[in-house]
Amino acid sequence: MIKDLKKNHLNKNDYYVIFKNFEKNPRILKKKFKKLAKLLGKTLPQDKSGKKFLEVTPNVSLLKKLTKQNQKKLLRYHQNNFFVSVHSDGPQLESPPKYLMLACLKQAKKGGYSIITYANKVYDFLKRKKPNYLKTLKKNFLMERRGFDYPNGNIFEKPIFEKKKNFFRFRYVREYIEAAYKIKKIKLAPGKIEALNFLDKLMQSNRFQKKIKLNQGDLIILNNNILSHGRTKFDLNSGDDQRTLVRVWVK
């Protein structure tokens, strides 16, 4: 099953697969989710504490305490209910996860659609129409290694697009790039800003995008090298009954 899943779904064609009604019971869903993740490959830590199975749910108490500016500055995507622009997961890792898995334990009553963008198709478009931008995006950018502590510092340099023979990787969170340049007190070159702005425009285009609503009990697996993803804003539910997904990174 796993071999077929990778070969015929995750590594070609749509580059993702959704299991509808995989398991309605949240407790059992978590167990099945973890088992499937370990069969798929090596699970990776998602923060400095070493958590490998992380709940994506808004931290309501922090959202209430922090100003809007600090909410965006201090909270990672899995801790808020904001619109999340398309990005790849784990760009701050030396070797980002190849697969991203999400299981929906509880969905918001309004909003919270998952956005999937084909970064490989964006690459091909840039190659045909804007090769100068693509050339820039294949150069190194400073990136903040947010959520982790590294002995050699929490800023490093990596390209957004990497393509060599049969290897393709998209590594991108715009906020991490801008934060890194701010920390280093270095101005982003105008040419790089222009290329990033055009990239963002393409990544948000319906031409390269799909929108999917995961319901309670659904599970999705994405090829994190090929696809980028985001999320529409969602309303907070009452009390502690918040939109909750479980996320794992698999190498």
Side-chain angles (χ1 to χ4, degrees), residues 10 17 33 40 46 87-89 97-102 220-225 227-229 246-250:
L10 298 177
V17 64
F33 178 78
L40 192 64
Q46 298 183 53
H87 62 282
S88 65
D89 263 27
K98 184 172 183 180
Y99 304 115
L100 163 67
M101 292 179 61
L102 292 165
I220 187 170
I221 309 175
L222 307 171
N223 186 317
N224 188 56
N225 284 343
L227 303 178
S228 61
H229 64 283
V246 182
R247 184 180 76 192
V248 66
W249 293 346
V250 182

Side-chain angles (χ1 to χ4, degrees), residues 207-221:
R207 179 175 182 175
F208 304 109
Q209 258 187 19
K210 289 183 179 180
K211 285 185 181 176
I212 297 165
K213 182 103 175 192
L214 295 177
N215 296 312
Q216 184 173 329
D218 293 350
L219 185 152
I220 187 170
I221 309 175

Side-chain angles (χ1 to χ4, degrees), residues 77-207:
Y77 296 144
H78 66 266
Q79 298 171 309
N80 62 54
N81 65 318
F82 311 147
F83 162 78
V84 175
S85 58
V86 289
H87 62 282
S88 65
D89 263 27
Q92 67 271 61
L93 302 182
E94 190 70 35
S95 180
K98 184 172 183 180
Y99 304 115
L100 163 67
M101 292 179 61
L102 292 165
C104 183
L105 304 183
K106 183 74 176 181
Q107 185 52 271
K109 291 179 180 178
K110 186 177 179 181
Y113 282 82
S114 298
I115 303 168
I116 296 173
T117 299
Y118 285 82
N120 59 334
K121 293 181 180 179
V122 170
Y123 179 97
D124 291 341
F125 179 88
L126 288 168
K127 187 176 180 180
R128 293 194 311 270
K129 302 293 185 180
K130 295 287 184 179
N132 287 342
Y133 285 161
L134 180 58
K135 185 178 179 180
T136 298
L137 296 168
K138 291 173 81 172
K139 293 179 180 178
N140 280 345
F141 283 75
L142 294 179
M143 293 189 188
E144 181 190 9
R145 311 187 81 174
R146 191 173 297 183
F148 294 84
D149 287 328
Y150 291 91
N152 58 347
N154 278 10
I155 306 290
F156 73 158
E157 289 185 289
K158 291 291 179 182
I160 292 170
F161 283 110
E162 294 177 78
K163 189 169 178 14
K164 299 173 185 177
K165 294 184 179 180
N166 295 325
F167 176 80
F168 179 91
R169 176 186 285 151
F170 179 69
R171 181 197 298 260
Y172 188 58
V173 173
R174 176 85 182 245
E175 291 85 349
Y176 290 9
I177 292 171
E178 291 177 341
Y181 281 88
K182 190 173 182 180
I183 291 167
K184 287 290 188 179
K185 297 180 180 179
I186 299 172
K187 284 189 177 181
L188 256 170
K192 283 192 170 183
I193 294 174
E194 194 175 329
L196 290 174
N197 289 342
F198 193 78
L199 173 63
D200 285 341
K201 183 179 177 180
L202 292 180
M203 299 300 283
Q204 297 296 345
S205 169
N206 290 332
R207 179 175 182 175

